[in-house]
């Protein structure tokens, strides 16, 4: 059968654009791609990129204080959100154009509209129908709001980048990546910030000591963290938004942000009609090669709800290309995914938490906590925390965790060693770079304890 395209991609985010571009340029495929919103997707338009720029912006209040401690006379005349936001959006437009050009230069035919599956090889674009040998669904995800009375008054992360003005106070519901990052950003901007989390410590799934340490540092930075707290309702009052916790406690805020997770974008895509199996959250169920239950339809990225991170969507795109266009089926290894939470201070982590590693038998736990030279000189009480989890029997480093300035940068490099299977001896043999924060990673000689 002759198809209009070799590959039709639905969704122009990080995963979809990568797959489309590489299929067209490196595999010589005829590729079409539909995007109903903005090219670049969550990461570029309403996620990682604007978030990281906001992290940078929010840290300047600290930098100004530190500058004074280092002998400069710098004055903080306040933060101009409107001016920052305008520049932020210009940058996002620039990046969106880069993404569009990547596709255009690769010869991918783009459709700025919603696409739906009609059957295993057909996509509808409004009234038009096109056919493709392979269809790739890369439609990402969207914020999820819990079913709480008054939740319609709460913002989601998408809204933060478009705020007309910064609130004076904000309550952030949730204790995951977005809740913690937004709490640090808002607090850095001088917004009175309260994080309200239903569990007993923020960042569930991370190493427990790391969770405790970063929560402690965030509190020291002025964020109020309320744990084991559920929200009963949110009322719109003449005095802002009133949050009632299940304990009965009430408090008013200018804004409330629901950072309570994300859902796959799989509604109304014609999936069921095409016989594609979906899971409980609406995620497209795929095999280890990203193939759905219909052989010609693949799915990658957040719509599959595997590991919802940009580099994973890109890795899934590349493995899809290897599998489908180069006839070299390639699985993805989800075991060692380095990740960072851009709180102040940052969290960087790769490998297992102590809780997860405990099933591998006796462990040696190396930790260090110290005041960094820069923070110390500036008169701050911040403490860096580092942790290595080592399997006693073979000295393999199973996990490496940081709470530190630049933890995201550090963990990327540590991840190379851990991915290569480094042992504690490899860390010990490595000569320190002095004076740095990260040198402590190779100078932890004796275990703090055994577990
Ligand atoms: P997360 O899954 O990380 O966190 C969701 C949070 O909301 C959890 O604390 C969860 O609690 C809580 N929650 C869920 N449902 C409810 C509810 N009904 N009532 C109250 N609280 C609730 O999701 P995020 O939205 O923070 O981020 C989504 C994903 O995006 C992340 O998992 C990550 O994959 C990605 N991301 C990555 C970033 C990075 O790499 N730096 C940055 C931002 C996002 P509980 O823990 O009890 O389930």
């Amino acid at each position: 059968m002759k198809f209009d395209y070799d590959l039709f991609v639905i969704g122009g985010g990080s995963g979809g654009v990568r797959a489309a571009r590489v299929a067209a340029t490196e595999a010589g495929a005829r590729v079409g791609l539909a995007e109903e919103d903005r090219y670049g997707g969550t990461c570029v338009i309403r996620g990682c990129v604007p978030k990281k720029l906001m992290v940078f912006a929010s840290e300047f209040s600290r930098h100004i204080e530190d500058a004074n401690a280092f002998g400069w006379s710098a004055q903080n005349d306040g933060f101009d959100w409107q001016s920052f936001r305008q520049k932020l959006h210009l940058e996002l437009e620039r990046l969106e154009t880069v993404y569009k050009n990547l596709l255009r230069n690769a010869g991918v035919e783009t459709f700025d509209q919603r696409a739906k599956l009609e059957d295993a090889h057909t996509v509808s674009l409004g009234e038009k129908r096109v056919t493709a040998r392979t269809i790739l669904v890369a439609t990402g995800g969207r914020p999820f709001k819990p079913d709480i009375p008054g939740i319609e008054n709460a913002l989601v992360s998408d809204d933060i980048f478009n705020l007309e003005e910064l609130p004076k106070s904000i309550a952030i519901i949730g204790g995951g990546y977005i809740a913690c990052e937004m709490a640090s950003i808002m607090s850095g901007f001088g917004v009175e910030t309260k994080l309200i989390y239903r569990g007993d410590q923020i960042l569930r799934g991370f190493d427990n000591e790391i969770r405790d340490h970063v929560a402690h540092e965030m509190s020291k930075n002025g964020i109020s963290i309320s744990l084991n707290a559920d929200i009963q309702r949110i009322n719109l009052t003449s005095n802002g938004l009133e949050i009632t916790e299940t304990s009965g406690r009430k408090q008013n805020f200018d804004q409330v942000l629901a950072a309570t997770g994300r859902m796959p974008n799989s509604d109304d895509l014609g999936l069921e009609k095409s016989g594609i199996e979906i899971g409980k959250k609406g995620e497209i169920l795929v095999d280890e090669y990203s193939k759905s239950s219909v052989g010609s339809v693949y799915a990658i990225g957040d719509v599959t709800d595997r590991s919802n991170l940009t580099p994973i969507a890109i890795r899934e795109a590349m493995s899809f290309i290897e599998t489908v266009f180069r006839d070299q089926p390639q699985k993805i290894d989800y075991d060692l995914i380095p990740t960072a939470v851009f709180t102040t201070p940052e969290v960087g982590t790769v490998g297992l938490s102590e809780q997860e590693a405990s099933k591998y038998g006796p462990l040696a736990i190396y930790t260090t906590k110290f005041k960094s030279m820069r923070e110390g000189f500036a008169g701050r009480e911040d403490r860096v925390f580092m942790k290595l989890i080592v399997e006693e029997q073979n000295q393999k480093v199973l996990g490496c965790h940081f709470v530190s300035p630049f933890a995201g940068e550090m963990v990327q490099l540590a991840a190379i060693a851990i991915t290569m299977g480094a042992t504690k001896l490899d860390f010990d043999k490595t000569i320190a770079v002095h004076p740095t924060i990260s040198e402590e990673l190779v100078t932890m000689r004796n275990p703090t304890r055994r577990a």
Side-chain angles (χ1 to χ4, degrees):
M1 182 175 166
K2 178 135 176 36
F3 297 101
D4 299 324
Y5 298 98
D6 298 312
L7 172 66
F8 196 93
V9 181
I10 307 181
S14 303
V17 168
R18 174 61 68 94
R21 183 166 68 80
V22 177
T25 53
E26 294 181 23
R30 288 166 303 145
V31 184
L33 181 146
E35 168 58 59
E36 66 171 338
D37 196 343
R38 294 181 64 184
Y39 288 79
T42 299
C43 172
V44 176
I45 305 296
R46 58 193 89 83
C48 322
V49 172
K51 177 276 305 286
K52 190 79 190 274
L53 290 168
M54 278 174 77
V55 170
F56 291 141
S58 72
E59 286 175 343
F60 279 96
S61 52
R62 282 169 66 92
H63 294 334
I64 294 167
E65 287 168 11
D66 291 354
N68 285 295
F70 275 84
W72 292 87
S73 35
Q75 206 177 307
N76 183 348
D77 288 332
F79 173 64
D80 183 347
W81 166 253
Q82 273 85 11
S83 129
F84 169 74
R85 194 191 58 177
Q86 192 185 11
K87 190 135 189 267
L88 174 71
H89 285 281
L90 285 176
E91 176 62 2
L92 302 184
E93 279 164 29
R94 187 186 72 78
L95 290 170
E96 189 182 1
T97 308
V98 169
Y99 269 71
K100 282 182 181 164
N101 287 343
L102 281 174
L103 291 171
R104 186 184 314 127
N105 296 341
V108 174
E109 191 176 353
T110 52
F111 299 86
D112 299 349
Q113 65 189 104
R114 188 167 180 81
K116 285 189 194 185
L117 282 173
E118 291 298 319
D119 62 41
H121 292 284
T122 310
V123 170
S124 64
L125 298 155
E127 295 301 304
K128 187 177 158 116
R129 300 273 182 282
V130 295
T131 58
R133 184 181 306 280
T134 305
I135 296 171
L136 179 68
V137 184
T139 45
R142 63 178 187 280
F144 155 80
K145 276 184 176 182
D147 191 13
I148 300 169
I151 194 70
E152 65 279 4
N153 298 307
L155 306 169
V156 292
S157 56
D158 295 2
D159 304 319
I160 291 286
F161 311 112
N162 296 313
L163 282 175
E164 287 298 323
E165 56 187 40
L166 276 184
K168 289 209 167 35
S169 59
I170 190 165
I172 300 179
I173 310 171
Y177 281 85
I178 295 179
C180 294
E181 291 180 345
M182 282 299 166
S184 285
I185 289 169
M186 286 294 153
S187 169
F189 284 151
V191 178
E192 187 192 326
T193 304
K194 181 167 181 179
L195 192 72
I196 304 173
Y197 176 50
R198 64 183 177 181
D200 56 10
Q201 187 52 283
I202 58 170
L203 292 173
R204 184 166 63 81
F206 285 75
D207 183 272
N208 285 340
E209 276 185 290
I210 294 292
R211 299 165 73 193
D212 289 345
H213 188 79
V214 71
H216 182 66
E217 295 294 306
M218 286 168 69
S219 304
K220 274 198 323 210
N221 286 335
I223 300 168
S224 155
I225 301 180
S226 183
L227 299 172
N228 300 307
D230 258 318
I231 310 292
Q232 201 175 54
R233 62 175 177 274
I234 303 167
N235 287 339
L236 181 59
T237 72
S238 55
N239 197 16
L241 295 170
E242 182 193 67
I243 281 200
T244 308
E245 294 182 27
T246 36
S247 63
R249 187 192 156 96
K250 292 178 196 287
Q251 206 176 339
N252 281 54
F253 298 90
D254 281 355
Q255 293 284 10
V256 174
L257 169 69
T260 40
R262 295 177 60 86
M263 301 278 288
N265 261 339
S266 60
D267 292 353
D268 196 26
L269 276 179
L271 298 176
E272 292 90 340
K273 187 171 74 177
S274 309
I276 293 168
E277 283 177 27
I278 54 174
K280 280 203 193 93
K281 271 177 83 178
E283 74 278 17
I284 298 182
L285 299 175
V286 289
D287 68 9
E288 52 214 334
Y289 301 101
S290 299
K291 195 198 302 192
S292 78
S293 52
V294 171
S296 57
V297 180
Y298 286 70
I300 56 168
D302 291 7
V303 74
T304 61
D305 197 31
R306 286 176 282 181
S307 182
N308 299 331
L309 299 165
T310 301
I312 296 295
I314 291 173
R315 186 58 71 89
E316 288 167 354
M318 295 308 290
S319 119
F320 160 77
I321 295 289
E322 290 297 324
T323 304
V324 175
F325 289 95
R326 296 204 178 110
D327 211 16
Q328 292 172 12
Q330 194 183 81
K331 295 181 193 171
I332 296 150
D333 182 0
Y334 293 93
D335 273 353
L336 275 175
I337 300 176
T339 175
V341 190
F342 294 99
T343 38
T344 307
E346 295 177 6
V347 175
T349 179
V350 58
L352 303 179
S353 65
E354 186 177 337
Q355 322 70 283
E356 289 165 334
S358 57
K359 61 175 176 280
Y360 290 90
L363 303 173
I365 310 293
Y366 296 78
T367 59
T368 177
K369 194 186 283 191
F370 58 96
K371 210 184 255 192
S372 80
M373 189 191 261
R374 187 184 187 285
E375 266 71 18
F377 191 86
R380 294 198 177 278
E381 289 305 316
D382 304 25
R383 293 282 189 286
V384 167
F385 182 65
M386 289 184 190
K387 179 167 181 178
L388 281 180
I389 294 154
V390 178
E391 192 175 353
E392 280 259 67
Q393 199 195 351
N394 54 18
Q395 290 297 298
K396 195 168 169 201
V397 180
L398 300 179
C400 176
H401 309 270
F402 307 87
V403 180
S404 166
F406 310 113
E409 305 290 344
M410 287 190 222
V411 78
Q412 179 66 84
L413 302 180
I416 300 172
I418 310 275
T419 304
M420 290 173 75
T423 62
K424 181 65 174 62
L425 186 62
D426 294 318
F427 277 67
D428 294 343
K429 278 194 306 198
T430 305
I431 294 180
V433 178
H434 185 70
T436 61
I437 296 175
S438 48
E439 68 180 303
E440 297 285 332
L441 193 61
V442 296
T443 54
M444 288 188 268
R445 288 286 168 236
N446 301 310
T448 316
R449 61 196 155 78
R450 296 183 198 275

